[in-house]
């Protein structure tokens, strides 16, 4: 079964994250064994992103959400490294700035949404407005629960306008999170990544899981589905996400646009004349 079918949250389906094994790795034994497939998917993604850009009628929005240290940065580094920077961008959602707070919560997401031909990755997203704000009681329940419908309407509008939306929840266990914090403490190259808030947020784990389950349930739609990705094994996470993105782009039936000039005319008149001229110039020099 394709990972698109296996990990999708079907619209209206109840989500119980405790029942989903974050260490799942399918039939693959190791990173080494899975690597050729990952490389193949990344190659397909690169080719298809080129077509998306050339075609210029559609766009792709990838949303990455997860608890701390689940690997959002790793996905971006590994999977999008080969894509042409022209036509690809990443936007990280931090605590909203004064300007952002002065607008509706979807404003900053809309502002960064991809234009036609573009691929945009959201590292965290407008979903923080049904997650962190709920867990930290920054706004009332009546408010955050209204956000689900507003998000669905917003994403439906983007989709109507030609944007394919893929949303990934990276699912790790609490044990795995702690071991990644330890790596951040021990590895000097990763020291900068650890923060006090990683530990205080960790204490709120059950609240976050509940908030995620509700968000996944309320906002997985046909035009903007959620996928729950087992992410304890970094390589399996990359394998599943790259397959889902490549398969989705493939289904879009992207084509190179036809040239908007008469190629024969250019060949026979313009190019032939330039070629002749260059030959003459060469002879002279
Ligand atoms: P890492 O996983 O590597 O720690 P990160 O995505 O957590 O990376 P940080 O700069 O540590 O990056 O965190 C950004 C913070 O901004 C998160 O704690 C997130 O919950 C918070 N944030 C994002 N959007 C909102 C929002 N709308 N309201 C309040 N806080 C928000
Ligand atoms: Mg953080």
């Amino acid at each position: 079964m394709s990972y698109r079918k296996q990990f999708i949250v079907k619209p209206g389906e109840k989500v119980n994250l405790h029942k989903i094994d974050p260490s799942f790795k399918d039939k693959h034994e190791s990173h080494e064994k899975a690597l050729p497939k990952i490389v193949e998917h990344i190659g397909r993604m690169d080719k298809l992103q080129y077509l998306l850009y050339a075609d210029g009628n559609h766009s792709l929005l990838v949303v990455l959400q997860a608890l701390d240290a689940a690997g959002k940065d790793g996905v971006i580094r590994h999977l999008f490294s080969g894509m042409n920077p022209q036509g690809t961008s990443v936007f990280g959602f931090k605590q909203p700035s004064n300007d952002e707070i002065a607008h509706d919560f979807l404003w900053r997401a809309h502002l960064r949404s991809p234009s036609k031909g573009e691929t945009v990755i959201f590292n965290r997203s407008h979903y923080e407005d049904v997650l962190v704000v709920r867990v930290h009681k920054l706004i009332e329940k009546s408010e955050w629960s209204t956000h689900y419908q507003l998000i669905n309407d917003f994403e439906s509008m983007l989709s109507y306008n030609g944007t394919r939306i893929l949303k990934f929840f990276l699912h790790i266990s609490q044990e795995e999170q702690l071991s990644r914090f330890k790596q951040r403490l021990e590895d000097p190259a990763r020291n900068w990544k650890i923060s006090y808030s990683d530990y205080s947020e960790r204490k709120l784990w059950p609240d976050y899981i509940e908030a995620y389950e509700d968000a996944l349930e309320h906002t997985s739609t046909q035009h903007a589905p959620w996928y729950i990705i087992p992410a304890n094994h970094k390589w399996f996470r990359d394998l599943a996400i790259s397959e889902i993105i490549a398969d989705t782009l493939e289904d879009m039936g992207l084509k190179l646009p036809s040239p908007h000039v008469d190629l024969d005319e250019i060949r026979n008149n313009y190019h032939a004349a330039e070629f002749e001229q260059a030959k003459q110039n060469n002879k002279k020099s």
Side-chain angles (χ1 to χ4, degrees):
M1 194 197 293
S2 73
Y3 292 138
R4 256 203 311 179
K5 281 210 171 123
Q6 193 167 352
F7 297 138
I8 194 167
V9 177
K10 295 198 192 89
E13 188 181 31
K14 261 209 112 25
V15 175
N16 184 343
L17 288 172
H18 297 286
K19 286 203 176 143
I20 301 173
D21 177 11
S23 292
F24 180 76
K25 54 185 164 111
D26 207 0
K27 54 190 183 296
H28 306 283
E29 286 160 28
S30 65
H31 183 195
E32 260 184 359
K33 294 252 163 74
L35 195 57
K37 273 212 166 308
I38 300 176
V39 171
E40 180 208 314
H41 297 328
I42 293 178
R44 279 201 294 147
M45 277 169 63
D46 292 348
K47 280 205 188 100
L48 289 157
Q49 185 253 341
Y50 178 76
L51 280 186
L52 184 84
Y53 183 69
D55 175 72
N57 286 308
H58 303 272
S59 57
L60 176 69
L61 175 61
V62 175
V63 170
L64 298 175
Q65 280 290 158
L67 285 141
D68 287 303
K72 295 184 271 61
D73 291 354
V75 169
I76 294 167
R77 242 188 4 264
H78 295 144
L79 302 190
F80 296 95
S81 58
M83 278 195 176
N84 186 349
Q86 181 154 279
T88 313
S89 60
V90 180
F91 183 71
F93 286 69
K94 307 282 179 198
Q95 284 191 8
S97 66
N98 287 343
D99 200 21
E100 288 168 346
I101 282 190
H103 289 83
D104 65 89
F105 80 97
L106 290 167
W107 180 73
R108 63 176 177 164
H110 201 178
L111 207 60
R112 265 72 189 213
S113 298
S115 52
K116 289 191 167 40
E118 251 192 326
T119 299
V120 170
I121 300 133
F122 281 177
N123 184 347
R124 299 188 187 269
S125 65
H126 44 296
Y127 282 93
E128 292 297 319
D129 287 278
V130 289
L131 296 165
V132 67
V133 297
R134 166 180 173 169
V135 170
H136 285 277
K137 303 189 171 52
L138 302 178
I139 57 176
E140 297 288 330
K141 177 174 183 185
S142 59
E143 209 180 330
W144 58 252
S145 58
T146 306
H147 286 179
Y148 297 132
Q149 189 57 47
L150 295 174
I151 289 176
N152 288 340
D153 291 344
F154 166 64
E155 292 178 352
S156 146
M157 190 263 294
L158 294 185
S159 151
Y160 168 77
N161 204 40
T163 302
R164 280 304 283 260
I165 306 170
L166 295 173
K167 303 181 294 199
F168 297 102
F169 169 64
L170 313 184
H171 182 39
I172 56 164
S173 64
Q174 265 184 300
E175 298 72 37
E176 178 63 22
Q177 187 193 52
L178 198 58
S179 101
R180 292 189 188 180
F181 286 174
K182 190 160 175 261
Q183 284 171 16
R184 289 181 177 188
L185 282 172
E186 284 173 0
D187 177 0
R190 295 183 208 203
N191 284 167
W192 67 276
K193 277 199 148 199
I194 199 80
S195 67
Y196 293 111
S197 80
D198 287 339
Y199 290 88
S200 52
E201 292 300 276
R202 180 179 161 79
K203 291 216 182 303
L204 300 168
W205 187 280
D207 299 344
Y208 270 111
I209 293 297
E210 196 187 353
Y212 266 108
E213 287 176 342
D214 279 349
L216 297 169
E217 245 169 71
H218 284 94
T219 61
S220 199
T221 56
Q222 205 152 25
H223 54 265
W226 274 106
Y227 297 90
I228 299 171
I229 305 295
N232 272 2
H233 297 288
K234 294 175 179 173
W235 57 267
F236 183 74
R237 167 202 79 195
D238 292 347
L239 176 71
I241 294 180
S242 57
E243 182 188 294
I244 292 169
I245 295 177
D247 286 358
T248 303
L249 284 169
E250 226 152 54
D251 268 8
M252 286 169 70
L254 301 162
K255 286 195 194 74
L256 285 172
S258 356
H260 43 267
V261 291
D262 182 338
L263 290 181
D264 277 339
E265 190 195 359
I266 292 196
R267 269 187 209 112
N268 300 332
N269 301 335
Y270 294 74
H271 196 83
E274 284 298 320
F275 189 72
E276 235 0 88
Q277 184 68 51
K279 229 162 65 183
Q280 297 301 329
N281 292 348
N282 261 350
K283 268 192 201 154
K284 280 182 207 154
S285 59

